[in-house]
Amino acid sequence: MNDTFLRACRGEAVDYTPVWLMRQAGRYLPEYQSVRSHVDFLTLCKNPKLAAEVTLQPVDILGVDAAILFSDILIPVEAMGMRLEFSEKDGPVLSEPIRNRGAVEKLVIPDVEDDLPFVFETIRILRKELQQRVPLIGFAGAPFTLATYMIEGGTSRTFVNTKRMMFQNTAVFHYLMEKVTDMLVPYLIGQIRAGAQAVQIFDSWAGILAPADYKKFALPSVRRVIHEVKKEKVPVIYFVNDCAGILKEVKNAGADVVSVDWRIDIADAIKKLGKKVTIQGNLDPCALFLPREKLEEKVKEILWKGEAAKSHIFNLGHGVLPQTPVEQVIALVDTVHTFGKRG
Ligand code: 1CP
């Protein structure tokens, strides 16, 4: 198996900088669109054969060094008893948002094996299919990011309901975070035991917090998840979007790999994170709209700067956008493989 990605996670010597992309499966791929034209998004996530098929598409088409389970961070939130829908226009919609203690009390901690069997079945299928190829990454949302969706009822621009609960109903907010964390630990451990060889925790919205608030309201829960999951001895990657202002705190979450967005120069991120973690990132997804030679320059710069880290895994700073031309994504992966060779 090509274990370059896992070696980089652990900070071991590699022949070249491995690359995979957040949202490498998804709407920019015609092959994904074709599967999606027959089924809605949630049905796709819950059908192990189809979910495995779309997970493998970018491995075949792009030649990336890792596969990531096809699912969504909100799938286990549905298993906690919330009604979840995906609208073409608004994205995820949770129709009865959590606004008080009673609503948190009603949330159930799912028995992950019984309530989310399709996730583990997809992982088992993938491990068989991927045998001699690349490692499989499992994932979940971080407690804070999941809590924002549960409180807002969907995506948000200001996160006013989340912050109001944090500041006015602090005990209820902490109670919600505790329940989400209690769900996440067995969920991620279950993915690892089913065959996931690394896990990534997505904190897409932690960057909306002031550093002191991140430290108080978001960090303790994600640190607990990471601490418990690390006992399974597979690498834990922590992605924080818009991380520049909170990187010092993010370092304390305890992950093996920290994945950073493009708003920070990767050289600065490496300085702040130090030599104990592997860094992942951090090309702006919109750089894929640049002419080929400009894209190549940006990739080379990140690769060159990445050499200062304990180890570097190339990725985007956030997910591939649906409008991205596939040829550009293929070119990106080739460029990383060509210029990321270690002598
Ligand atoms: O219409 C469609 O086909 C659905 C589009 C889509 C896809 C392809 C959604 C809806 N989710 C996904 C897959 C997905 N989501 C993966 C699959 C694996 C891969 O990366 O290839 C992963 C890891 C996620 C994780 C996810 N879902 C995150 C964290 C990463 C991030 O983008 O910040 C978040 C925030 C979500 C919520 C979500 N699901 C879907 C959308 C459009 C969103 C974002 C909505 C928002 O902006 O709040």
Side-chain angles (χ1 to χ4, degrees):
M1 187 187 61
N2 167 2
D3 67 345
T4 311
F5 161 78
L6 290 176
R7 296 180 66 84
C9 285
R10 295 189 294 252
E12 295 166 9
V14 288
D15 298 332
Y16 65 93
T17 303
V19 53
W20 70 277
L21 306 173
M22 290 188 270
R23 292 278 173 97
Q24 61 191 20
R27 282 179 293 179
Y28 77 100
L29 282 177
E31 292 81 353
Y32 173 82
Q33 298 273 23
S34 155
V35 174
R36 265 284 272 113
S37 66
H38 305 290
V39 287
D40 64 64
F41 176 64
L42 273 177
T43 306
L44 174 52
C45 290
K46 293 176 186 176
N47 179 320
K49 253 186 81 199
L50 289 179
E53 180 183 335
V54 296
T55 302
L56 294 171
Q57 286 173 349
V59 178
D60 294 331
I61 297 164
L62 308 176
V64 282
D65 296 291
I68 180 162
L69 167 72
F70 190 86
S71 183
D72 195 81
I73 60 167
L74 295 170
I75 293 285
V77 170
E78 188 183 38
M80 292 183 85
M82 293 189 80
R83 195 169 323 129
L84 171 66
E85 279 168 322
F86 279 87
S87 107
E88 290 294 327
K89 197 164 101 336
D90 305 320
V93 181
L94 293 156
S95 46
E96 286 167 59
I98 307 286
R99 297 286 163 83
N100 53 46
R101 176 171 289 273
V104 183
E105 265 160 12
K106 275 202 228 141
L107 291 171
V108 293
I109 308 294
D111 178 319
V112 290
E113 300 287 343
D114 284 351
D115 299 339
L116 298 156
F118 49 88
V119 172
F120 308 107
E121 182 56 20
T122 306
I123 292 174
R124 284 188 285 266
I125 293 174
L126 282 166
R127 279 304 301 279
K128 267 190 226 129
E129 303 261 337
L130 283 166
Q131 249 173 32
Q132 299 305 323
R133 302 178 71 191
V134 294
L136 176 66
I137 306 169
F139 75 89
F144 179 76
T145 288
L146 291 184
T148 68
Y149 283 102
M150 296 167 87
I151 297 166
E152 302 294 337
T155 194
S156 173
R157 210 164 49 79
T158 59
F159 297 91
V160 61
N161 296 298
T162 306
K163 290 185 182 180
R164 192 159 54 194
M165 187 190 284
M166 271 165 50
F167 296 145
Q168 292 186 345
N169 270 322
T170 307
V172 175
F173 181 82
H174 283 309
Y175 181 28
L176 172 60
M177 289 290 278
E178 194 183 300
K179 273 195 136 166
V180 172
T181 304
D182 288 344
M183 173 280 285
L184 283 171
V185 170
Y187 182 54
L188 283 166
I189 290 176
Q191 290 186 35
I192 294 165
R193 294 189 181 164
Q197 290 150 294
V199 291
Q200 175 153 318
I201 298 168
F202 288 89
D203 224 344
S204 305
W205 300 118
I208 63 156
L209 293 172
D213 293 329
Y214 172 81
K215 191 171 173 181
K216 185 167 168 198
F217 293 104
L219 178 63
S221 302
V222 74
R223 189 160 50 196
R224 170 150 79 92
V225 174
I226 292 169
H227 178 78
E228 293 302 322
V229 171
K230 269 175 119 176
K231 292 180 185 163
E232 298 293 306
K233 306 276 181 229
V234 310
V236 177
I237 310 169
Y238 182 34
F239 165 68
V240 183
N241 188 28
D242 219 340
C243 66
I246 54 174
L247 212 48
K248 231 177 58 202
E249 304 302 341
V250 164
K251 182 178 171 183
N252 293 327
D256 304 288
V257 183
V258 175
S259 193
V260 303
D261 65 284
W262 67 93
R263 299 168 192 86
I264 185 166
D265 190 307
I266 195 166
D268 293 341
I270 293 166
K271 261 188 228 140
K272 286 196 176 134
L273 290 167
K275 281 280 183 189
K276 290 204 178 117
V277 296
T278 291
I279 197 150
Q280 181 175 272
N282 74 336
L283 185 72
D284 182 343
C286 286
L288 287 159
F289 298 106
L290 284 167
R292 209 53 75 75
E293 55 297 358
K294 290 261 167 33
L295 171 63
E296 200 172 291
E297 268 170 40
K298 285 207 183 286
V299 171
K300 282 195 217 166
E301 186 182 333
I302 291 173
L303 284 169
W304 175 70
K305 289 178 174 172
E307 283 180 31
K310 177 190 188 187
S311 194
H312 176 214
I313 297 160
F314 198 99
N315 205 315
L316 300 176
H318 206 167
V320 182
L321 295 164
Q323 303 86 343
T324 314
V326 183
E327 319 79 67
Q328 288 285 93
V329 188
I330 295 171
L332 168 66
V333 173
D334 285 347
T335 305
V336 176
H337 283 155
T338 305
F339 295 101
K341 293 210 172 71
R342 307 288 175 98

